[in-house]
């Protein structure tokens, strides 16, 4: 698959940086969408290229996902050298060690109210389901009829509005309600610091990834999988191009 010359040129410049952070969203970026989130797996070629990057000196690879960290651990089966950031940057696994903020009793109470509302909405909307996350719940409507999905989302938003301190994140066929306000921008900043990175590559496909792109510097490279508009400097039409892109980064790094 041929890559855009402007993107290749940006990758070649970035690859020359002293310490490189490669941060990748998982679903829709290196893993094709799956009806059951537990069935999602990265493209084998993308995984292989990412693992080659892991073994390059001065390169840190991180997976940055909205998934709860347990779910991310399960579907990625990543080696401990890969940093995992789950729940949009609220929780991390670094060298096999989990860090996650503790919830207050108010937050626990909010979660009880939240799940009752979402379960009620979901029970009346065919094809929808509620996913338990580390700091909240997500209403999935991927298998619902479009009109049902819109109605379910509207109802969920209206009924949960009484719960204070909730952050709502919209994704493709999913509405997530959480008691943490972490954004992928926080994840990128934290990972940049952890890795001592002098340059960052970040790729993502969804609305929440736009926060990550916003945290990139001019010398970093952001790639959106999908159509503009985006805050990323580059786009690729499909995640099928991601393995070639990661391989190009490996080649540039080795040549440098
Ligand atoms: Mg995604």
């Amino acid at each position: 698959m041929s890559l855009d010359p402007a993107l290749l040129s940006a990758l070649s410049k970035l690859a020359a940086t002293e310490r490189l952070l490669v941060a990748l969203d998982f679903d829709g970026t290196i893993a094709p969408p799956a009806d059951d989130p537990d069935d999602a797996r990265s493209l084998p070629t993308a995984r292989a290229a990412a693992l080659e990057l892991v073994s390059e000196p001065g390169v840190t690879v991180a997976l940055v996902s909205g998934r709860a960290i347990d779910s991310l651990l399960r579907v990625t089966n990543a080696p401990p050298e890969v940093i995992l950031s789950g729940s949009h940057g609220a929780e991390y696994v670094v060298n096999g060690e989990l860090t996650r903020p503790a919830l207050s009793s108010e937050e626990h109470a909010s979660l009880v109210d939240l799940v009752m509302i979402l379960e009620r909405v979901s029970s009346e909307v065919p094809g929808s389901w509620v996913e338990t996350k580390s700091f909240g719940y997500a209403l999935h409507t991927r298998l619902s009829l479009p009109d049902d999905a819109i109605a379910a989302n509207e109802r969920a938003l209206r009924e949960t509005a009484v719960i204070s301190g909730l952050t709502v994140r919209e994704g493709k066929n999913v509405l997530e309600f959480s008691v943490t306000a972490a954004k992928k921008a926080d994840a990128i900043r934290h990972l940049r610091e952890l890795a001592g990175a002098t340059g960052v590559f970040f790729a993502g496909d969804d609305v929440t990834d736009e926060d990550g792109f916003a945290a990139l510097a001019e010398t970093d490279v952001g790639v959106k999988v999908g159509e503009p508009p985006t805050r990323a400097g580059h786009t690729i039409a499909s995640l099928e191009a991601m393995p070639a892109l990661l391989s190009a980064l490996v080649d540039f790094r080795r040549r440098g």
Side-chain angles (χ1 to χ4, degrees):
M1 192 167 291
S2 69
L3 292 168
D4 171 32
L7 174 53
L8 279 175
S9 157
L11 288 179
S12 122
K13 278 193 203 119
L14 179 69
T17 200
E18 200 184 334
R19 283 186 305 278
L20 173 65
L21 168 67
V22 177
L24 304 168
D25 169 52
F26 182 72
D27 295 278
T29 299
I30 57 169
D35 286 340
D36 182 343
D38 271 344
D39 291 340
R41 293 292 180 275
S42 47
L43 293 172
T45 41
R47 182 183 167 86
L51 292 179
E52 283 194 70
L53 281 166
V54 171
S55 63
E56 283 299 305
V59 179
T60 302
V61 175
L63 296 173
V64 184
S65 174
R67 280 178 183 258
I69 201 87
D70 305 339
S71 157
L72 191 60
L73 276 165
R74 213 164 41 236
V75 292
T76 60
N77 191 25
E81 296 80 14
V82 174
I83 298 178
L84 299 182
S85 171
S87 299
H88 310 279
E91 45 185 0
Y92 293 85
V93 170
V94 182
N95 295 322
E97 287 233 358
L98 171 69
T99 51
R100 158 192 288 170
L103 294 182
S104 67
S105 52
E106 288 84 2
E107 287 169 330
H108 278 295
S110 294
L111 290 178
V112 172
D113 294 341
L114 176 63
V115 71
M116 283 195 327
I117 293 170
L118 294 184
E119 287 291 2
R120 195 167 60 227
V121 171
S122 168
S123 70
E124 290 166 23
V125 178
S128 71
W129 77 95
V130 176
E131 181 194 2
T132 304
K133 310 214 53 165
S134 300
F135 306 98
Y137 295 90
L139 179 65
H140 289 265
T141 48
R142 186 178 163 77
L143 301 178
S144 303
L145 295 170
D147 283 352
D148 287 350
I150 292 168
N153 287 346
E154 281 175 358
R155 197 172 147 205
L157 284 169
R158 198 170 55 241
E159 295 190 14
T160 57
V162 297
I163 306 172
S164 62
L166 282 187
T167 294
V168 184
R169 300 182 187 86
E170 212 183 319
K172 290 172 184 160
N173 308 306
V174 60
L175 203 55
E176 188 191 315
F177 300 81
S178 159
V179 293
T180 69
K183 285 188 157 95
K184 287 205 179 176
D186 305 316
I188 297 294
R189 278 187 218 110
H190 183 59
L191 291 167
R192 190 194 293 276
E193 211 177 286
L194 262 181
T198 50
V200 176
F201 173 87
F202 173 54
D205 72 304
D206 213 337
V207 186
T208 53
D209 296 308
E210 294 298 322
D211 293 317
F213 296 133
L216 296 181
E218 210 162 311
T219 47
D220 298 333
V221 175
V223 176
K224 175 176 178 192
V225 181
E227 300 293 313
T230 176
R231 293 168 96 157
H234 305 269
T235 58
I236 54 174
S238 137
L239 89 169
E240 301 292 333
M242 192 53 74
L245 209 157
L246 296 174
S247 293
L249 205 45
V250 174
D251 288 345
F252 286 133
R253 188 80 189 170
R254 284 184 183 158
R255 254 182 263 165

